[in-house]
Amino acid sequence: MIKKLNLVLLAAPLLAVSTMASAEFSANFGVTSNYLWRGVTQSDNSPSVSGGLDISTESGLYAGTWIGTIDWGQGGGYENDYYFGYSGESNGFGYDVGYIYYAYPEEEYDDSNFGELYFNGSLGAFGFGVAYTVNSDADDDVPFGTGDLYYSVSYGFELPDDYGLGLTLGHYDFDVPSSAGDVDYTHVQVDLTKGDFTFSVSKATEDSGDDDMKIAVSWGASF
C-alpha cells in the first residue's frame, strides 16, 4: 500500500505538468451600451466594459475569471466572476457543468456575493440551461439567496451574409424572505449577431423591477 501511495504521489506532479503543457490560455475583451444579465440591466442602462482570462484543457476542464463594470443605481462598481467546470460533446449533445462565483468587492455591494452550480446543454441549434444558487452573502434586503433557481431555453438561426439570430426565454425563481415579496420573473431576449458585434433587444416581466424594453449594442473579441 505504501509503495502504491508513493507512486501516486510521484505521478501527481507529472500529471499536473502534462495537463498544464496541453492547456490553452485565452483572453477576452468587450464593451456594451447596456450590460444586460438575465433580462435586467447591471449598468443602470449605461455602457459597461469587461474583460476576462480563461484556461482550458483538451480533456474538457476549464477555469477562468471575468470582470465588468456595473452600476445598480448606488454608484459605479465592478463585478468579478470566478468559475471552473467541465464541458464536452457526445453524439451531438453538448454539455457544460460547473460552478461560478459572482463577487462584488465594492463596499456598497458587499452583501451581494453569491455562487451557483450550473448545467448547460445543447443539441444542434437548441440550447437550455439551469443554475442553482448554493451560497450567498445576501441579507434580507437583497433578493438573492441560497435556493434561487434560474433556467432558460434558446434557439439559434443562421442567416444570410454571416448574420445570426438567437432567441432566449429565461425564468428566475427566487427563494427570498417573505419581507421581500414575490420577485420571480420571466424574460425574453433577441440577439442579432454579425462578426464581433451583437444587437440585443430584451424584455422582462414587471416583477423583475426593471420591465422596460432594453436595447443594447455590444462588441467583443477573444485572443
Side-chain angles (χ1 to χ4, degrees):
M1 177 63 74
I2 294 176
K3 186 177 292 185
K4 290 182 178 179
L5 179 59
N6 287 336
L7 288 174
V8 171
L9 293 176
L10 288 171
L14 296 176
L15 179 60
V17 171
S18 175
T19 300
M20 290 299 294
S22 63
E24 292 186 0
F25 293 86
S26 62
N28 60 81
F29 177 78
V31 59
T32 180
S33 63
N34 192 355
Y35 172 16
L36 300 176
W37 185 73
R38 298 177 180 175
V40 176
T41 181
Q42 303 296 298
S43 57
D44 198 24
N45 296 312
S46 298
S48 171
V49 295
S50 63
L53 295 171
D54 295 277
I55 179 173
S56 60
T57 68
E58 293 180 357
S59 66
L61 293 172
Y62 66 87
T65 183
W66 179 91
I67 188 169
T69 58
I70 64 169
D71 187 346
W72 293 349
Q74 55 198 58
Y78 65 97
E79 170 188 332
N80 197 179
D81 302 341
Y82 305 91
Y83 48 86
F84 62 89
Y86 178 79
S87 64
E89 184 177 344
S90 178
N91 297 321
F93 177 75
Y95 54 87
D96 177 12
V97 59
Y99 171 82
I100 182 169
Y101 184 70
Y102 300 90
Y104 303 91
E106 302 281 332
E107 182 178 356
E108 57 267 34
Y109 299 106
D110 61 3
D111 289 331
S112 303
N113 305 328
F114 69 103
E116 293 180 332
L117 291 175
Y118 60 84
F119 178 84
N120 297 309
S122 63
L123 186 62
F126 173 76
F128 66 93
V130 179
Y132 183 78
T133 306
V134 292
N135 59 289
S136 174
D137 294 339
D139 58 26
D140 291 346
D141 297 324
V142 179
F144 292 95
T146 56
D148 296 343
L149 181 66
Y150 176 78
Y151 42 95
S152 64
V153 293
S154 61
Y155 196 85
F157 302 87
E158 292 185 0
L159 302 178
D161 299 322
D162 296 324
Y163 281 92
L165 182 67
L167 308 176
T168 302
L169 172 65
H171 182 78
Y172 220 145
D173 186 1
F174 291 96
D175 184 15
V176 297
S178 58
S179 60
D182 183 8
V183 293
D184 299 348
Y185 71 89
T186 300
H187 75 94
V188 295
Q189 183 163 317
V190 179
D191 297 304
L192 180 65
T193 60
K194 172 71 171 180
D196 295 332
F197 290 89
T198 302
F199 176 78
S200 303
V201 179
S202 181
K203 181 75 166 63
T205 55
E206 184 176 359
D207 288 331
S208 69
D210 189 23
D211 59 337
D212 293 334
M213 181 174 290
K214 308 293 184 185
I215 296 176
V217 178
S218 307
W219 173 88
S222 297
F223 310 94

